[in-house]
Amino acid sequence: MDNREAKFILNAYRPNGQDADDPRFSEALEQVRRDPMLERWFSESIAFDAAMTEKLRAMEMPPHLRENILAGARVSRPLRWSKPFIKWAIAAAVILTTVVGSVIWYSGRPVRLAGWQSAALDVISSLVKNESSFDAQSRNTADLLAWLRANHAPAAQKLPDNLGKLESVGCKTFSWNGIPVSVICFTRPDGGLVHLVSANVPTSSARPPKTAPEFVRQSEWATATWREGDTTYMLALEGSRDQLRSYLL
Amino acid sequence: MSAADFQQLVARQYAPLYRFALSLSKSEADAADLTQQTFFLWASKGGQLRDRSKAKSWLFTTLYREFLSRRRHEVRFPNVELDDAREDETSILPNVNAFDGVSILQALQEVDEPFRAPLTLFYLEQFSYREIADLLDVPIGTVMSRLSRGKAQLRRRLLSQQEIADQKIVSFQPEKPRESHG
């Protein structure tokens, strides 16, 4: 371990000594003991962090914030039903909608996406709404693919040509029922987004190593799923199948 | 949760939550609003939390998600390059004790947003890198990278403030009395 790497790790070391027994820091701390220059950096860094903590904790609070929180919580109690008829009418409407909706759904059941694919669409929606953040961001797709491989996440060996021409935004990884999944988001020329999901889904050896894309629509999402070798891919965008198809070429 | 327990929770956590919110939102009004909203959500949903020792993590996670949710109409995908060239460590550390709390907060608010949340959680509440990863729902490696880069940015901001403050100090040299002739 060189000093640069040791500093990278030690920047996460808390100044109050709580991390002294954490094995993640042990090699870096050993380096500190061996190297006087690093030791000096570390002691100055700890002092800096301790001073920062003290200054930030001394920040003044707005007057009456605590009282406002308590008062607001008291008035935020849920309203009681004052008109039983309304309550029963709403309940009846919910039941009726559920029954009718089930009949319609059962009679025209579309092909459905697998669980990991629906989970991926939820992750994508969360990223688009800024409710979660990317694990890594770059306009260069090659950088993102390298990051995914370095972090042992599924990553395409080769992208479809038209997809590879797009500027990337970022990538995110997650696990669904033990299946590792990665998502890369791209910006389309029209300002919209298209997303490539890769997953190492276990399949039987009897299945062909490569399959043609299968198109499925789920709500506003147009998706295409195919398999190459050990990896299953899903391309998804909010739009038409024709728009999606153009990025498979 | 009883009213007394809720009051105790507010008493313990409202200040650190507010400071976290302020570092994210840069506005006292927005920070106060975020803090209040977080406790309202606790009042309505916190009872579902089985392990009450996780209340602090729940509150910080909820506040952070509320902050992100409010931002969704603003800039999409704030641009932070992967550019894993780690920020060069500055060899000179600013003297934190020479700054007041307002200046410290200002420097923290100038740090790039993806770095600001983990940095604040690290300094304010001394969350571990693992706890920060859980709160922010990012990998541990990402937390370490953001702490490293965030601290480098913060130190440079403070050094910059220090240099500006030093340049404004002009030593006063009183005029020498003129000799009279005649």
Side-chain angles (χ1 to χ4, degrees):
Chain A
M1 175 180 291
D2 61 20
N3 281 1
R4 196 176 171 96
E5 194 168 349
K7 288 179 183 178
F8 176 78
I9 291 171
L10 290 170
N11 270 319
Y13 188 89
R14 290 176 286 179
N16 55 11
Q18 289 169 298
D19 297 322
D21 295 328
D22 186 329
R24 192 174 287 267
F25 295 104
S26 56
E27 194 178 344
L29 290 172
E30 184 56 39
Q31 184 84 354
V32 165
R33 284 188 276 275
R34 283 197 299 259
D35 186 328
M37 293 271 296
L38 184 63
E39 184 184 19
R40 183 181 164 190
W41 172 88
F42 184 57
S43 63
E44 289 175 354
S45 180
I46 291 290
F48 175 88
D49 290 343
M52 280 293 301
T53 295
E54 189 182 330
K55 288 281 180 178
L56 286 171
R57 285 183 175 175
M59 268 196 296
E60 287 186 5
M61 291 293 105
H64 310 303
L65 175 59
R66 182 165 61 172
E67 291 77 12
N68 289 345
I69 291 169
L70 293 172
R74 281 193 289 273
V75 302
S76 296
R77 291 196 195 100
L79 294 173
R80 293 176 182 275
W81 292 108
S82 55
K83 298 188 177 178
F85 171 73
I86 295 175
K87 178 174 73 172
W88 289 115
I90 292 174
V94 168
I95 292 169
L96 186 62
T97 304
T98 304
V99 169
V100 171
S102 300
V103 170
I104 293 172
W105 172 82
Y106 186 81
S107 62
R109 267 183 305 175
V111 175
R112 296 182 68 184
L113 294 175
W116 65 268
Q117 292 175 293
S118 294
L121 294 179
D122 288 341
V123 167
I124 292 167
S125 295
S126 174
L127 286 168
V128 170
K129 292 176 196 170
N130 270 330
E131 290 169 358
S132 64
S133 49
F134 288 104
D135 292 341
Q137 287 182 258
S138 176
R139 293 194 180 105
N140 185 335
T141 309
D143 286 347
L144 295 179
L145 290 170
W147 187 93
L148 289 171
R149 291 186 196 108
N151 285 276
H152 310 292
Q157 293 302 317
K158 187 179 180 311
L159 297 174
D161 289 343
N162 284 349
L163 189 66
K165 291 175 187 168
L166 299 181
E167 196 171 82
S168 58
V169 180
C171 67
K172 187 156 181 82
T173 63
F174 66 97
S175 178
W176 186 86
N177 280 1
I179 298 174
V181 186
S182 69
V183 175
I184 302 180
C185 300
F186 301 85
T187 306
R188 302 186 333 238
D190 62 2
L193 299 166
V194 58
H195 314 276
L196 178 67
V197 182
S198 309
N200 295 336
V201 182
T203 56
S204 70
S205 57
R207 291 197 63 180
K210 195 168 179 175
T211 61
E214 180 181 9
F215 293 89
V216 173
R217 173 161 285 280
Q218 179 160 303
S219 301
E220 67 275 18
W221 293 101
T223 72
T225 303
W226 71 100
R227 191 164 150 266
E228 284 185 31
D230 295 329
T231 306
T232 304
Y233 300 98
M234 177 177 72
L235 198 66
L237 56 74
E238 292 177 273
S240 69
R241 180 193 282 206
D242 287 339
Q243 283 178 300
L244 186 69
R245 199 190 294 272
S246 68
Y247 294 108
L248 292 170
L249 304 172
Chain B
M1 173 178 260
S2 69
D5 287 342
F6 181 73
Q7 285 181 22
Q8 281 185 14
L9 182 68
V10 170
R12 280 199 309 272
Q13 301 296 346
Y14 88 100
L17 277 172
Y18 172 78
R19 293 181 188 121
F20 181 45
L22 187 57
S23 74
L24 296 173
S25 63
K26 303 189 188 183
S27 151
E28 290 185 6
D30 288 348
D33 193 65
L34 267 173
T35 307
Q36 292 184 54
Q37 177 64 11
T38 301
F39 278 109
F40 295 162
L41 288 170
W42 171 268
S44 62
K45 297 182 185 176
Q48 298 166 12
L49 187 68
R50 289 182 188 173
D51 183 357
R52 289 304 168 94
S53 68
K54 306 283 186 198
K56 178 180 169 183
S57 296
W58 190 99
L59 288 168
F60 275 85
T61 303
T62 301
L63 188 145
Y64 185 62
R65 286 182 184 164
E66 276 296 300
F67 167 71
L68 291 179
S69 176
R70 292 178 184 201
R71 278 185 65 255
R72 68 174 175 261
H73 296 299
E74 297 171 21
V75 176
R76 193 168 66 175
F77 305 138
N79 183 31
V80 176
E81 285 299 316
L82 176 67
D83 181 25
D84 216 26
R86 295 168 186 167
E87 301 268 353
D88 284 337
E89 290 279 343
T90 174
S91 56
I92 304 171
L93 289 181
N95 177 12
V96 176
N97 292 317
F99 294 90
D100 59 22
V102 172
S103 304
I104 294 288
L105 178 64
Q106 184 184 345
L108 183 60
Q109 289 173 337
E110 289 173 4
V111 169
D112 288 345
E113 190 185 295
F115 309 146
R116 212 181 306 143
L119 212 54
T120 310
L121 291 171
F122 177 84
Y123 282 130
L124 268 180
E125 289 302 305
Q126 301 217 329
F127 282 109
S128 71
Y129 62 89
R130 287 180 203 275
E131 289 168 328
I132 296 172
D134 287 341
L135 274 167
L136 303 181
D137 189 27
V138 294
I140 285 174
T142 302
V143 169
M144 290 193 147
S145 173
R146 290 180 182 177
L147 282 175
S148 191
R149 296 175 72 182
K151 283 188 181 183
Q153 278 195 12
L154 176 65
R155 289 164 185 164
R156 279 201 299 276
R157 298 283 186 281
L158 287 171
L159 276 174
S160 174
Q161 283 189 26
Q162 194 169 293
E163 283 168 12
I164 291 171
D166 288 346
Q167 284 165 13
K168 282 181 182 170
I169 298 172
V170 178
S171 60
F172 175 67
Q173 298 288 347
E175 278 189 25
K176 289 182 184 175
R178 290 185 179 184
E179 292 178 8
S180 58
H181 295 279

